Amino acid sequence: MAAPDLLWQCVKNQSCFIRKQKNFPVMTAEPGNLCGLNNFQFSGLASKKVLGLDSKKVGKKESIVLTTRSKRESRQYRPGVVLVTTGIKKGKKQGPEQLKKIIGATWNRPELLEMALKKYKKIKTSFKKNKTVKK
Amino acid sequence: MATARPVVSIYNFENPSEKTGTMPMPVVLQSPLRPDLVREVHRDMAKNKRQAYAVKPKAGYDTAAESWCTGRAVARIPRAPGGGTHRAGQAAFGNQARGGGMFNPTTIWRRWHRRVNVTKKRHAVACALAASALPPLVMARGHKINQVAELPLVVSDGIQSLTKTKQAKEALKKLGCGEELQKVIDSKSIRAGQGKARNRRYVKRLGPLVIYNEDNGITRAMRNIPGVECAHVDRLNLLRLAPGGSFGRFVIFTEGAFKKLSDIYGTLKSGAPKKKGYTLPRAAMANADLARIINSTEVQSVLRPKMERYTHGIKRNALKSKELMEELNPGSTERRAVQLKSSQKGTPEYDEVQKKKKARIEESKKYNKEHKKGDETFYKTLMKAFEAKAAADAAKKAAEKADDEEDEE
């Protein structure tokens, strides 16, 4: 696999996932990007270690899904299997614990743990039926 | 790049969950990524299929117009001759006149085509091939490859003998291209702009490029599937490998074609057997992974320890901040406390100060009594000095006057 820095240089301006708006940071829709920002730090295309947290809706069921990149060499060239999705529990305590275990303990982008926890909270509030806007 | 060449599986085109074999990746597919080179070469190559357009050479000048010159109360622009029609006397020639020619008429001898160095073109193709083997780049280009088993996708040679479009479509779907093909179909729309009236009515996205070695029907089977294009290994076109100048096209190789890549391009050492005098491009950096280089033991072991940088906090003013003053001038708080106390009557500090004051005054009085009396008082000394100066001045003046009188005489 090509070097992350090199891939980033190829992809940072030229990607079908990039979304641009006036007076707004450049965003990306690629899978595996935690913040959706078009940054080398968060890039789901360029880095070897990828972290994404999204909500997924299948029919009526809403779930929270964590995306990481497989470490196996053999999987790097297999587009269908390279990104590994894990369901995250929706329980108040269990969810963050699970996140801490996967992200922090296994050294899978531990610096993004705090951000992931914040996003987890936001996803949970988005699941609420009576959507009260938090001020 | 990777020192060990990854091994690529070959999939059975009839039953793509089966692998019929494996092959090491050809060195071409590990060429350095050079989006700038590909863009440049594509830009120039794309100009080569242009057809000339221009206005007629005589456009706007096909009149016998002549200027009426001065004296007739009209502008001096050439005017159409004759009479009996509205056209007579109207301005002609010149971009400002109605029915005149345009400024700087477009010509057919404009330089429409560009030549590109052969080596450059070859490097660009090698680079584009390498990009098509990397999932992030292919995804970034917009291809839907989530169902595809592996990149680069190599299929057994049987696919080259397909003759029916239906079979070809089935085969592609089984290989995981269904999403991609659907994307193409969904993207068909009417072109924006005049092209729609010029036999270019529809636009759609591009799908996979199938690269084959022997055409036993595959081109004809694939040609009616929207989005799918075919290419022979020997004749790879950059305009197809990197459409629009963006590399990372989704490519499907047949087994024969994949094998042939090594025969055509060879390795960095051997050069390209089928391309005379050509060797694959070399990367400017053998290992472009900066993070790994920086964190490697070779580098880390020779680094000096990290410098402690003095970070200035918010600047504090010692005159305002008592703590800072104490840091800088130890004892100042104590001193200040004593000072405060010494102005309060009844405290020992106050008494101390008063005592010192009294002693000072006594001393001064004593001194004055001894030294400053009689002729040594302040006033007397002052007047003495003054009178001395006054006398000196007077004497000087008298002497001058005496000189002047002398001169007069």
Side-chain angles (χ1 to χ4, degrees):
Chain A
M1 274 294 287
D5 298 281
L6 182 54
L7 277 179
W8 174 242
Q9 289 298 321
C10 294
V11 156
K12 69 177 181 179
N13 282 328
Q14 198 181 18
S15 153
C16 75
F17 300 108
I18 292 176
R19 309 274 184 265
K20 284 190 176 174
Q21 275 176 290
K22 286 232 170 95
N23 300 324
F24 208 70
V26 182
M27 309 209 82
T28 8
E30 71 219 7
N33 190 324
L34 185 66
C35 295
L37 286 172
N38 195 30
N39 267 345
F40 179 50
Q41 248 204 334
F42 299 113
S43 172
L45 293 171
S47 17
K48 283 202 177 127
K49 290 191 182 169
V50 145
L51 192 74
L53 193 67
D54 298 293
S55 64
K56 187 167 153 195
K57 195 164 184 185
V58 182
K60 267 202 170 180
K61 184 170 175 188
E62 293 167 322
S63 49
I64 304 175
V65 160
L66 179 79
T67 317
T68 52
R69 201 186 182 93
S70 167
K71 291 212 180 107
R72 290 195 223 168
E73 261 300 314
S74 66
R75 288 214 175 172
Q76 298 303 319
Y77 286 95
R78 298 169 60 189
V81 203
V82 69
L83 289 180
V84 177
T85 51
T86 333
I88 300 292
K89 301 203 173 102
K90 283 191 268 183
K92 208 167 167 187
K93 234 202 209 169
Q94 294 127 331
E97 257 185 52
Q98 205 182 359
L99 279 175
K100 280 181 200 158
K101 197 166 155 205
I102 298 174
I103 301 172
T106 58
W107 295 100
N108 198 349
R109 307 299 298 275
E111 75 270 15
L112 296 183
L113 176 60
E114 269 191 60
M115 228 175 282
L117 289 171
K118 271 192 205 163
K119 191 169 181 189
Y120 174 82
K121 266 192 194 164
K122 292 207 169 174
I123 296 175
K124 286 244 345 250
T125 52
S126 77
F127 286 165
K128 280 195 187 159
K129 294 296 155 79
N130 312 326
K131 299 209 173 137
T132 49
V133 177
K134 240 191 195 175
K135 286 252 164 99
Chain B
M1 292 293 143
T3 42
R5 281 200 273 143
V7 160
V8 181
S9 313
I10 305 167
Y11 293 85
N12 185 354
F13 85 101
E14 282 169 324
N15 185 12
S17 44
E18 250 179 55
K19 297 187 197 167
T20 59
T22 56
M23 218 193 289
M25 201 187 266
V27 186
V28 213
L29 296 186
Q30 297 190 307
S31 303
L33 299 175
R34 293 264 266 121
D36 59 315
L37 179 66
V38 172
R39 214 174 292 137
E40 195 191 319
V41 175
H42 174 95
R43 187 190 62 206
D44 289 339
M45 276 178 79
K47 294 179 180 168
N48 291 340
K49 207 177 171 211
R50 289 152 107 193
Q51 291 184 339
Y53 61 85
V55 291
K56 291 203 295 229
K58 287 222 101 197
Y61 290 87
D62 212 353
T63 36
E66 276 204 34
S67 172
W68 285 359
C69 298
T70 46
R72 295 179 71 172
V74 288
R76 294 178 279 173
I77 192 172
R79 292 172 185 279
T85 174
H86 278 154
R87 183 65 177 145
Q90 280 181 347
F93 303 169
N95 54 325
Q96 70 269 45
R98 180 177 179 275
M102 62 180 275
F103 163 71
N104 201 9
T106 49
T107 52
I108 52 166
W109 59 83
R110 178 197 299 226
R111 193 167 69 106
W112 300 101
H113 310 101
R114 297 287 180 276
R115 55 174 299 280
V116 189
N117 296 341
V118 174
T119 317
K120 238 186 188 175
K121 284 193 274 194
R122 287 172 175 166
H123 280 347
V125 170
C127 176
L129 281 171
S132 70
L134 291 174
L137 292 179
V138 180
M139 274 175 74
R141 209 191 154 269
H143 295 286
K144 308 275 181 237
I145 49 169
N146 287 319
Q147 309 281 329
V148 174
E150 189 178 333
L151 274 192
L153 186 59
V154 186
V155 186
S156 57
D157 275 338
I159 203 171
Q160 289 171 164
S161 314
L162 286 180
T163 50
K164 302 294 271 173
T165 306
K166 198 172 182 171
Q167 293 170 357
K169 208 165 181 189
E170 278 297 306
L172 285 178
K173 281 210 180 128
K174 281 200 212 154
L175 287 165
C177 306
E179 216 183 328
E180 179 74 354
L181 295 179
Q182 191 57 43
K183 161 197 117 185
V184 175
I185 295 170
D186 292 337
S187 69
K188 183 175 176 190
S189 62
I190 295 181
R191 185 187 292 263
Q194 281 295 341
K196 64 165 113 29
R198 295 180 179 174
N199 305 328
R200 287 170 251 133
R201 192 155 179 88
Y202 296 103
V203 261
K204 54 181 188 278
R205 302 288 87 74
L206 289 176
L209 175 70
V210 181
I211 298 183
Y212 61 88
N213 187 23
E214 255 185 63
D215 181 11
N216 291 327
I218 187 174
T219 23
R220 264 179 271 196
M222 297 272 185
R223 76 182 171 196
N224 205 26
I225 308 174
V228 180
E229 291 175 333
C230 290
H232 187 109
V233 220
D234 289 340
R235 304 180 282 274
L236 289 173
N237 187 356
L238 183 72
L239 302 177
R240 293 281 131 251
L241 281 172
S246 45
F247 61 15
R249 179 104 190 247
F250 176 30
V251 170
I252 302 172
F253 291 96
T254 61
E255 192 183 336
F258 204 63
K259 217 177 267 168
K260 213 167 185 199
L261 279 179
S262 334
D263 296 335
I264 299 172
Y265 286 100
T267 60
L268 284 172
K269 261 197 192 163
S270 70
K274 295 281 172 66
K275 296 188 189 288
K276 185 170 162 201
Y278 175 69
T279 322
L280 285 171
R282 241 168 264 273
M285 271 180 94
N287 178 14
D289 196 341
L290 291 178
R292 272 194 82 182
I293 293 172
I294 293 170
N295 292 325
S296 68
T297 39
E298 291 97 323
V299 170
Q300 290 290 323
S301 63
V302 239
L303 294 175
R304 62 160 161 72
K306 187 171 182 183
M307 272 202 295
E308 272 306 312
R309 300 230 155 196
Y310 174 66
T311 46
H312 296 266
I314 299 174
K315 179 174 189 283
R316 296 181 296 165
N317 188 355
L319 295 173
K320 290 191 186 171
S321 158
K322 295 200 186 90
E323 292 122 36
L324 183 58
M325 189 51 130
E326 180 65 27
E327 259 182 69
L328 294 170
N329 187 7
S332 60
T333 6
E334 212 187 300
R335 188 150 142 274
R336 199 175 300 171
V338 167
Q339 272 182 333
L340 253 176
K341 274 253 182 92
S342 64
S343 57
Q344 292 164 2
K345 281 200 189 162
T347 51
E349 287 85 1
Y350 180 81
D351 294 335
E352 184 67 38
V353 169
Q354 292 306 320
K355 197 165 67 183
K356 282 196 186 150
K357 187 174 177 188
K358 237 194 193 149
R360 236 186 308 132
I361 293 173
E362 285 299 323
E363 263 296 319
S364 155
K365 278 200 182 146
K366 205 168 89 188
Y367 179 85
N368 288 345
K369 243 204 178 108
E370 270 190 51
H371 300 282
K372 308 224 171 138
K373 52 183 181 186
D375 271 347
E376 289 177 11
T377 61
F378 174 71
Y379 179 72
K380 289 261 164 72
T381 33
L382 179 74
M383 286 316 292
K384 206 192 287 176
F386 178 72
E387 260 140 37
K389 185 133 197 303
D393 283 343
K396 206 176 177 193
K397 244 194 186 161
E400 276 176 19
K401 208 175 178 191
D403 286 337
D404 289 341
E405 282 178 6
E406 261 188 40
D407 292 338
E408 273 178 31
E409 285 171 10

